[in-house]
């Protein structure tokens, strides 16, 4: 075994020696060839056995490597799914989307806040399309969840009007009603013809009653539709249907008033004074009676 597994140089010497013996003794050719042929076979078997012994190790390493890659991919997937989205422009740019998209084509509502029902949308379309057909005045309603560029809802309403209808001819008979759901307030803006047709009284009433009062109770559908009906009635010259009144939330105080505190103090003084009199006078009277008997 040592000769067969020896290095290449020793194998060459062994092969040369076997060749000389073959020339000297022809009868031993078969044995020499057998031995020479047996050498590579034994070496091949040895190498195969070594590779076979290493094969499980290599397979195990590959399995661990695949497992590591799989766990890494799973971690990345979970990170992408559960990591909060960064505050990019598109995440908080709903108000800018309203400005850039322009007025609605097939309806009269831009419900960016997503608070209006399908029924309210349909009722608004029927009411406002009839108004536009009869009076040539168009009113658009906009709902936005929160304002980030403008602190004042009235400034934002004016900005929407100017962006959607940049010229006086386009915006003369247009009205814009904006409702901010997070701030529970709204505003009405419009061109000169719209403002004149509605009147300042109804405009102020819708802004101070319909929009904020109902939005505070999160009745957004009623706030929008009641405002629309009130504006349409004013344009048609009909009596004002009115709006909801603000609720006065009076809290009963647990603290006593000054008069109640003074009354309680007087009562406490009388009680304490009476106890002190009893504590001192009664023992003295008993002692005086005891001494008098003696």
């Amino acid at each position: 075994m040592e000769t067969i597994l020896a290095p290449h140089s020793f194998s060459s010497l062994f092969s040369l020696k076997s060749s000389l013996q073959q020339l000297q003794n022809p009868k031993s050719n078969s044995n020499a060839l057998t031995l020479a042929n047996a050498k590579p076979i034994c070496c091949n078997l040895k190498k195969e056995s070594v590779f076979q012994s290493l094969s499980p190790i290599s397979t195990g390493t590959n399995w661990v490597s695949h497992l590591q890659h799989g766990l890494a991919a799973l971690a990345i997937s979970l990170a992408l799914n559960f990591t909060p989205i960064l505050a990019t422009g598109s995440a908080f740019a709903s108000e800018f989307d309203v400005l850039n998209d322009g007025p609605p084509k097939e309806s009269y509502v831009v419900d960016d806040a997503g608070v209006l029902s399908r029924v309210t949308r349909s009722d608004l379309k029927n009411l406002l399309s009839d108004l536009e057909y009869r009076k040539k005045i168009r009113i658009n309603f906009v709902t936005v969840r929160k304002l980030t560029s403008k602190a004042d809802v009235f400034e934002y309403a004016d900005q929407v009007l100017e962006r959607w209808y940049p010229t006086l001819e386009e915006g003369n008979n247009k009205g814009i009603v904006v409702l901010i759901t997070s701030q529970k307030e709204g505003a009405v803006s419009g061109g000169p013809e719209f403002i004149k047709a509605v009147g300042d009284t109804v405009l102020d009433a819708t802004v101070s009653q319909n929009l904020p009062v109902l939005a505070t109770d999160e009745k957004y559908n009623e706030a929008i539709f009641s405002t629309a009906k009130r504006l349409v009635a004013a344009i048609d010259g009909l009596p004002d249907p009115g709006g909801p009144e603000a609720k006065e939330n009076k809290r009963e105080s647990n603290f006593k008033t000054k008069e109640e505190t003074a009354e309680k103090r007087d009562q406490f003084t009388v009680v304490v004074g009476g106890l002190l009199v009893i504590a001192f006078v009664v023992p003295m009277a008993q002692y005086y009676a005891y001494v008098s008997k003696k």
Side-chain angles (χ1 to χ4, degrees):
M1 291 296 294
E2 293 179 358
T3 304
I4 295 173
L5 297 176
H8 179 70
S9 58
F10 294 103
S11 301
S12 301
L13 293 175
F14 181 78
S15 300
L16 179 61
K17 181 178 179 181
S18 300
S19 301
L20 293 175
Q21 291 178 356
Q22 180 180 1
L23 294 175
Q24 294 176 0
N25 190 6
K27 293 182 179 180
S28 62
N29 288 341
S30 60
N31 295 331
L33 292 173
T34 303
L35 183 59
N37 293 332
K39 175 185 175 183
I41 294 174
C42 294
C43 291
N44 290 336
L45 292 175
K46 187 66 177 177
K47 290 178 181 179
E48 290 177 2
S49 62
V50 172
F51 291 143
Q52 289 176 357
S53 62
L54 293 176
S55 178
I57 299 176
S58 177
T59 303
T61 304
N62 293 335
W63 180 80
V64 174
S65 177
H66 289 307
L67 179 61
Q68 291 176 349
H69 287 299
L71 292 176
L74 179 60
I76 294 174
S77 177
L78 292 175
L80 292 176
N81 288 332
F82 293 99
T83 300
I85 300 174
L86 297 179
T88 58
S90 61
F92 298 98
S94 59
E95 58 193 286
F96 302 106
D97 294 337
V98 172
L99 294 173
N100 296 329
D101 292 343
K105 303 298 183 181
E106 300 180 356
S107 66
Y108 297 83
V109 178
V110 178
D111 185 20
D112 191 78
V115 294
L116 300 181
S117 65
R118 184 178 302 178
V119 175
T120 301
R121 291 169 176 266
S122 177
D123 293 342
L124 285 173
K125 184 176 182 180
N126 296 332
L127 179 65
L128 299 178
S129 61
D130 179 69
L131 174 68
E132 186 177 13
Y133 176 78
R134 293 184 294 102
K135 298 294 184 177
K136 307 303 179 185
I137 295 178
R138 179 182 177 92
I139 306 175
N140 293 314
F141 285 79
V142 178
T143 65
V144 179
R145 187 183 65 84
K146 184 179 181 181
L147 289 181
T148 57
S149 63
K150 298 289 184 181
D152 189 4
V153 63
F154 293 94
E155 293 183 9
Y156 182 71
D158 293 338
Q159 186 179 12
V160 173
L161 179 66
E162 294 173 359
R163 183 69 65 87
W164 286 5
Y165 309 105
T167 64
L168 179 60
E169 291 76 13
E170 293 178 339
N172 185 37
N173 59 342
K174 305 299 190 302
I176 302 294
V177 179
V178 177
L179 175 63
I180 310 301
T181 58
S182 62
Q183 297 171 315
K184 314 298 183 184
E185 60 180 357
V188 180
S189 179
E193 185 178 348
F194 170 79
I195 298 297
K196 182 180 179 181
V198 175
D200 294 336
T201 303
V202 176
L203 289 175
D204 294 338
T206 55
V207 171
S208 60
Q209 296 177 357
N210 297 76
L211 293 175
V213 173
L214 295 173
T216 302
D217 296 334
E218 297 186 354
K219 298 178 180 180
Y220 303 115
N221 291 273
E222 186 177 352
I224 293 295
F225 193 65
S226 64
T227 301
K229 291 191 298 182
R230 198 167 187 177
L231 294 175
V232 171
I235 295 173
D236 288 335
L238 301 176
D240 184 15
E245 296 294 335
K247 297 179 180 179
E248 296 182 1
N249 296 324
K250 292 184 178 180
R251 291 185 176 182
E252 294 183 359
S253 176
N254 294 327
F255 299 98
K256 298 183 181 298
T257 61
K258 185 178 180 180
E259 292 76 10
E260 293 176 349
T261 304
E263 183 181 357
K264 293 292 184 182
R265 185 185 296 114
D266 294 339
Q267 295 177 357
F268 178 78
T269 302
V270 172
V271 173
V272 172
L275 292 175
L276 290 175
V277 170
I278 294 174
F280 286 97
V281 174
V282 171
M284 292 178 64
Q286 290 179 348
Y287 178 75
Y288 177 76
Y290 177 74
V291 172
S292 296
K293 290 181 182 180
K294 288 185 177 182

